Amino acid sequence: MGFYQKTSEMKINTSVDDIWDFISSPGNLKEITPPYMGFDILNDDLPNKMYPGMIISYMVKPLFGIKTKWVTEITHVQDKKYFVDEQRVGPYSIWHHQHIIEPIENGVLMKDIVSYSPPFGFLGRIANSLIIRKKLNEIFDFRTQAIIKRYGTFK
């Protein structure tokens, strides 16, 4: 089984309160996900803020336009500092995503650490080399641009 990490950092010209309000609201996930992924939240009456133990169900098209159900649990939340989502049902054998924000001079540093393991052993390792890693980079690049569009570039 291959095990990988994707890290991403960006400086945002906003306050901790503003970015936390945005990223900790499940309803905003679609705004930072590329449209081609067909991201749809399936939960009815989703609360405005994430909390530990929260289960969120989605339909996504992560590869080749094939719809996949993805269920994540919010396992840890420290208000205005970080939260963690872990896949419970979906395309990966392991998916653990840390969303971290830290105040810095004139803004916020937002860090993501995604630890993941594709399914299918040897074939999953090949898929990661050829497709998955590039797709994750593409998704995070889109996310960066969506955040910049919302908050502006760091000055």
Side-chain angles (χ1 to χ4, degrees), residues 22-86:
F22 181 73
I23 67 168
S24 67
S25 176
N28 292 329
L29 291 170
K30 188 170 187 136
E31 185 176 329
I32 59 174
T33 304
Y36 70 80
M37 290 195 63
F39 183 90
D40 285 313
I41 296 176
L42 303 176
N43 299 66
D44 292 328
D45 301 322
L46 205 58
N48 290 332
K49 290 289 170 216
M50 293 180 182
Y51 58 85
M54 181 179 195
I55 300 290
I56 307 171
S57 298
Y58 326 88
M59 286 301 287
V60 293
K61 296 185 275 185
L63 292 173
F64 312 119
I66 300 168
K67 281 189 173 187
T68 302
K69 188 168 188 176
W70 191 318
V71 178
T72 59
E73 177 181 357
I74 306 303
T75 57
H76 302 80
V77 176
Q78 187 164 359
D79 194 47
K80 299 180 185 175
K81 294 189 183 217
Y82 70 87
F83 69 90
V84 176
D85 67 83
E86 296 183 24

Side-chain angles (χ1 to χ4, degrees), residues 132-147:
I132 296 170
R133 182 181 311 129
K134 291 175 191 171
K135 188 63 74 174
L136 285 176
N137 287 336
E138 197 177 281
I139 291 166
F140 274 89
D141 288 348
F142 179 90
R143 182 174 175 223
T144 296
Q145 292 308 309
I147 296 289

Side-chain angles (χ1 to χ4, degrees), residues 13-25:
N13 189 25
T14 192
S15 70
V16 166
D17 289 341
D18 284 346
I19 194 65
W20 181 258
D21 285 346
F22 181 73
I23 67 168
S24 67
S25 176

Side-chain angles (χ1 to χ4, degrees), residues 82-148:
Y82 70 87
F83 69 90
V84 176
D85 67 83
E86 296 183 24
Q87 175 193 282
R88 294 297 178 239
V89 175
Y92 292 91
S93 295
I94 297 170
W95 178 271
H96 181 275
H97 184 179
Q98 300 173 67
H99 307 253
I100 303 161
I101 60 171
E102 299 173 1
I104 57 173
E105 187 174 340
N106 300 319
V108 175
L109 177 65
M110 187 164 77
K111 296 192 272 188
D112 289 271
I113 304 167
V114 177
S115 303
Y116 67 98
S117 182
F120 308 121
F122 175 72
L123 294 175
R125 290 193 298 276
I126 292 171
N128 188 68
S129 296
L130 298 176
I131 302 167
I132 296 170
R133 182 181 311 129
K134 291 175 191 171
K135 188 63 74 174
L136 285 176
N137 287 336
E138 197 177 281
I139 291 166
F140 274 89
D141 288 348
F142 179 90
R143 182 174 175 223
T144 296
Q145 292 308 309
I147 296 289
I148 288 172

